Amino acid sequence: MAQEFSYNIAYTAAANKGAAPEERLSRSELWQGIKRGGRHPGDFGTFVLSCKVVSGDKNRFVREMMIGEGAVHTKDGTKMLQDVVIQEPIYVAATTQDTGAVSTLVVAGDAQAEPGQEDDNPVLTLFYELKMGDHAPAPDSPEAEAIRTNYSALARNMVTDCITHIRKWKLEGKLAQWAEDNKKDI
């Protein structure tokens, strides 16, 4: 039986923590940015060299990505096929076809916000469900420990970087433009 390795990690951050008033995001603005990442993951991850949608429709599609330097366990130049589901206005999930690994970004209102203020205080959660088959390290190996350490850091960095990018896109007017463009697609 082939050796397998799996690791699950999640990170959640308040989208408006430390934001200047003009940078604050509503839940719909945060969602607009995350939805953009479904078709354009390179906007968030510099290790994504290229991405194209090869089949599907607006909310369920297959994307082909070329991975470059900076990915946690994937070699530079690796081609990856992912099944992507965009569940309006909640999550974007990408399942890697060859391993079954899943990356899910979830947008939600903050349950700690004052009642009625949840949409003005969104949170972003990233779940990584890493699964490795053919090239899996032994679960107790230094390689496995390095993957766990690096995926924890990746989850934190991806969430904070996503929020930073989306705030910038808001200030540049891109979120509003993408929302208008989406209305035309319906």
Side-chain angles (χ1 to χ4, degrees), residues 147-166:
I147 289 171
R148 286 189 284 271
T149 298
N150 291 334
Y151 258 83
S152 294
L154 181 62
R156 287 188 304 274
N157 292 337
M158 283 300 295
V159 168
T160 55
D161 288 352
C162 284
I163 291 169
T164 298
H165 280 81
I166 295 168

Side-chain angles (χ1 to χ4, degrees), residues 13-19 23-26 30 121-124 163 167:
N16 291 323
K17 184 175 182 182
E23 295 176 322
R24 289 184 60 81
L25 299 169
S26 67
L30 183 60
N121 294 287
V123 295
L124 179 61
I163 291 169
R167 286 179 184 172

Side-chain angles (χ1 to χ4, degrees), residues 8 17 19 115 184:
N8 299 330
K17 184 175 182 182
K184 296 174 191 171

Side-chain angles (χ1 to χ4, degrees), residues 38-113:
R39 287 189 180 270
H40 305 278
D43 288 357
F44 293 125
T46 58
F47 55 87
V48 178
L49 297 177
S50 65
C51 179
K52 65 179 179 179
V53 173
V54 295
S55 65
D57 60 32
K58 182 178 167 185
N59 292 324
R60 291 184 181 277
F61 52 90
V62 175
R63 67 184 183 194
E64 179 184 271
M65 295 190 308
M66 182 68 69
I67 304 299
E69 290 289 326
V72 172
H73 71 280
T74 307
K75 294 179 183 174
D76 185 22
T78 298
K79 189 186 295 185
M80 184 182 295
L81 285 174
Q82 292 183 317
D83 298 315
V84 179
V85 175
I86 297 176
Q87 182 63 50
E88 297 269 355
I90 305 165
Y91 67 84
V92 174
T95 304
T96 303
Q97 289 184 357
D98 65 341
T99 65
V102 183
S103 299
T104 307
L105 281 161
V106 179
V107 174
D110 188 348
Q112 296 179 35

